[in-house]
Amino acid sequence: MKKRVVITGLGVVSPNGVGISAFSEAIKKGVSGIEFLAELRDLKFSCQLGAAPKISEEKKREYLSDLQLRNFNSSGILYGVIAGMDALKDAKIEPAKPEEAPLWDLGIIFGTGISGVDKFREAIHKIDDKNVRRLGSTSVAQTMTSGVSAYLGGLIGAGNMVTANSSACATGTEALLMGYEHIAAGKAKYMLCGSSSDSGPYIWGGFDAMKVTTYKYNDTPNKVAGPMSEDASGFVPGSGAGAYLLESLESAQQRGATIYAEILGGAINNGGQRDGGSMTAPNSAAVQKCISEALKNANVSAAEIDYINGHLTATIKDPDEIENWSIALNRKGNQFPFINSLKGMVGHCLAASGSIEIVSAILQLHEGFIFPNVNCENLHPKIASLISSEKISMKTQKTSLQTIAKASFGFGDVNACAIFKKI
C-alpha cells in the first residue's frame, strides 16, 4: 500500500525575497525582483533586465564555511544550498553530526539546468589548450549537474538516494514527483527536493539570442507586461532556488510537524516533439494528457481543482496553455479555477522556476490567499474568451483553497503536473 506523502518544510531563494517569510510577504504585495542590469546593456543584450536573488557575504557564511567558499563561484549551488538547508530547518530535522552515521532514511533529489557556467568560464579563462589540467580542484564539484545535491548531502549527512534531475523548466516539479514516489514506495522517510538555476549573462545569453526574452521594457522594469497580458512580449530571465522537505504522513504526525500540504500525485510525460511540439514548444495534446493523468493518479476530479499555479511565461504560448487547461479540465468562464503566474514578479527562473513556483503555490494553499497577477490588466483576448476575468486576480485575495494544481512545461517538450491538497 502506498504511503501518503506530505510537505513539512519549505525553503526559497527568490529574486523578490530570500527565505519563506520575506518571500511570502513579497508575493502578497506583488513585489517584483526584476531590475535593469547595466552589465547586460554593456554586453548589448536585447533584454537588459534580469532577476537574481541578493545574497550578502554574511548570508553565505551562515551556510558554507570559509574553506568551502574558497574559489567558490557557483550561484546556482549557493542558491540551492540555502533553500535546501532552510527547508530542512523549517521541517525541524537536524543534520547528522560529523561523528555520527549518515541519515539513512533521508534522501535528496535536487535538480538544475545549466550548471556552474561562471565557474567553468573562470577556470577556462585562466588556461589555454596546453594547460587543461590546470582547470582547478574545485571546478568539478561546482560544474557537475549533481553539485547542489552533493553539497547538501555532505552538509546534512544524507544516507539515502542523493541525486539530481535535469528537465529544463520542468526540473523542480519533476524532482518533487520523483521524491513523492520514493517515499510513497517506502524507500525513504524523508526526501529533500527542489531545483536551482544560476544567474548571469552566460546563462541568459542563449535565451536572448533566441529572442524569447522581452526587449520593450529596458527603461521601465516595474512595468514589464506579465503573463497572460496582451502586451506580453517575452520573459525576463531569472534565477534562484526552491526546496521542499517531503515525508510520509505517518512520520509527520508522529513528529508533530507542520504539514503545509499533502501531495496527492501527479504525472510526467513528453510530447515527443510531434504534433506542434518541438525542442522549445509544447505539444498541446501531451500537455492535456499530462494534466488528465495527474488528476487520475491523484484520484481527483477536474471539478475539485480550486486553483492553478501556471507555467505561463509571458510569451505567445500563454493562450495555448490556458486553452490546454480548459480542455483538460473541461472548465471555462466562471467555472475555470483561479490561476496566476509568479513570473510577473520574478521573471522566468528557468530550471528553478518549478520549485520556486511550487513554494509559492504551497504558501497560498497553507495560508489561504491568492497572489496578484502583476501587470496583467490588459488581458489577452483569447484568454479572456476562455476564463472569467475574476479568476485572474490583479490584487491579493484571501480565499480558502483545498485542492490545487501546479504544472511546468520545459524545453525538450517535457511536461510535469502535481496535485496538492490542504490537510
Side-chain angles (χ1 to χ4, degrees):
M1 183 177 178
K2 291 181 69 171
K3 293 180 179 291
R4 293 172 67 182
V5 182
V6 296
I7 296 174
T8 56
L10 296 172
V12 69
V13 176
S14 172
N16 67 342
V18 177
I20 292 301
S21 178
F23 179 67
S24 179
E25 190 70 14
I27 63 175
K28 288 173 184 173
K29 293 181 178 179
V31 174
S32 173
I34 295 169
E35 59 184 350
F36 170 78
L37 298 174
E39 179 184 19
L40 301 184
R41 176 200 62 202
D42 296 342
L43 291 168
K44 295 181 171 51
F45 273 45
S46 296
C47 178
Q48 297 163 12
L49 307 178
K54 304 293 190 295
I55 311 289
S56 68
E57 291 298 318
E58 292 75 20
K59 186 73 172 177
K60 293 178 185 178
R61 281 163 175 77
E62 292 178 22
Y63 299 85
L64 297 169
S65 68
D66 286 339
L67 180 60
Q68 289 169 320
L69 288 169
R70 186 179 299 169
N71 297 321
F72 187 91
N73 194 33
S74 175
S75 58
I77 290 178
L78 177 66
Y79 300 154
V81 164
I82 294 173
M85 295 306 291
D86 281 1
L88 192 80
K89 183 178 180 180
D90 188 40
K92 296 181 173 57
I93 295 174
E94 293 290 332
K97 293 181 173 61
E99 67 275 12
E100 294 177 340
L103 302 176
W104 303 118
D105 285 332
L106 191 151
I108 299 171
I109 302 174
F110 218 102
T112 189
I114 305 169
S115 182
V117 170
D118 278 347
K119 180 63 185 178
F120 208 60
R121 181 238 171 227
E122 175 193 66
I124 291 174
H125 186 69
K126 295 177 179 178
I127 66 171
D128 58 40
D129 290 343
K130 295 180 180 179
N131 293 289
V132 175
R133 194 168 170 273
R134 296 179 59 191
L135 277 171
S137 61
T138 63
S139 62
V140 174
Q142 290 186 59
T143 58
M144 62 187 189
T145 303
S146 57
V148 180
S149 56
Y151 269 84
L152 284 169
L155 290 169
I156 296 167
N160 205 277
M161 177 173 67
V162 175
T163 190
N165 68 310
S166 187
S167 292
C169 313
T171 299
T173 306
E174 183 184 80
L176 176 130
L177 291 172
M178 292 169 69
Y180 160 79
E181 292 290 352
H182 204 62
I183 294 176
K187 295 180 179 180
K189 184 182 289 186
Y190 311 107
M191 290 297 295
L192 178 60
C193 303
S195 64
S196 179
S197 183
D198 290 46
S199 59
Y202 285 91
I203 295 291
W204 300 338
F207 297 98
D208 198 68
M210 292 171 64
K211 303 187 184 304
V212 293
T213 54
T214 183
Y215 63 90
K216 294 184 176 180
Y217 300 91
N218 291 335
D219 297 328
T220 53
N222 62 326
K223 294 182 179 179
V224 179
M228 296 187 284
S229 169
E230 185 177 13
D231 302 316
S233 56
F235 64 77
V236 173
S239 58
Y244 7 86
L245 193 288
L246 280 52
E247 65 180 292
S248 69
L249 175 61
E250 180 184 22
S251 169
Q253 291 174 333
Q254 288 175 350
R255 294 197 307 117
T258 297
I259 297 176
Y260 286 100
E262 180 175 4
I263 304 169
L264 297 181
I268 302 167
N269 76 359
N270 199 289
Q273 300 180 41
R274 302 291 191 276
D275 193 23
S278 68
M279 179 63 74
T280 59
N283 173 342
S284 288
V287 169
Q288 295 165 28
K289 182 176 176 64
C290 184
I291 295 167
S292 298
E293 289 183 347
L295 294 171
K296 183 179 179 180
N297 180 259
N299 195 26
V300 166
S301 71
E304 292 178 73
I305 301 298
D306 300 318
Y307 158 79
I308 297 166
N309 188 282
H311 182 65
L312 300 161
T313 57
T315 64
I316 58 172
K317 290 299 179 180
D318 286 1
D320 292 345
E321 179 176 336
I322 297 299
E323 184 175 41
N324 288 331
W325 279 107
S326 181
I327 292 171
L329 299 178
N330 192 27
R331 294 170 65 179
K332 62 193 307 185
N334 286 325
Q335 300 305 310
F336 197 91
F338 286 103
I339 187 165
N340 58 19
S341 172
L342 187 67
K343 293 181 179 71
M345 293 185 233
V346 303
H348 191 336
C349 295
L350 308 174
S353 61
S355 59
I356 296 174
E357 291 163 13
I358 283 173
V359 172
S360 78
I362 298 305
L363 287 172
Q364 290 172 95
L365 179 64
H366 183 65
E367 297 182 22
F369 72 96
I370 295 175
F371 65 71
N373 286 286
V374 175
N375 295 333
C376 184
E377 289 76 12
N378 189 17
L379 193 62
H380 192 286
K382 181 177 178 180
I383 294 174
S385 72
L386 293 167
I387 312 178
S388 171
S389 60
E390 67 187 49
K391 299 296 184 176
I392 305 174
S393 181
M394 306 303 163
K395 61 182 181 180
T396 298
Q397 290 188 38
K398 289 187 177 180
T399 186
S400 178
L401 300 173
Q402 292 297 317
T403 308
I404 68 173
K406 166 62 192 165
S408 299
F409 313 117
F411 276 19
D413 209 1
V414 63
N415 310 301
C417 181
I419 311 295
F420 306 92
K421 188 175 180 66
K422 187 178 180 69
I423 291 185

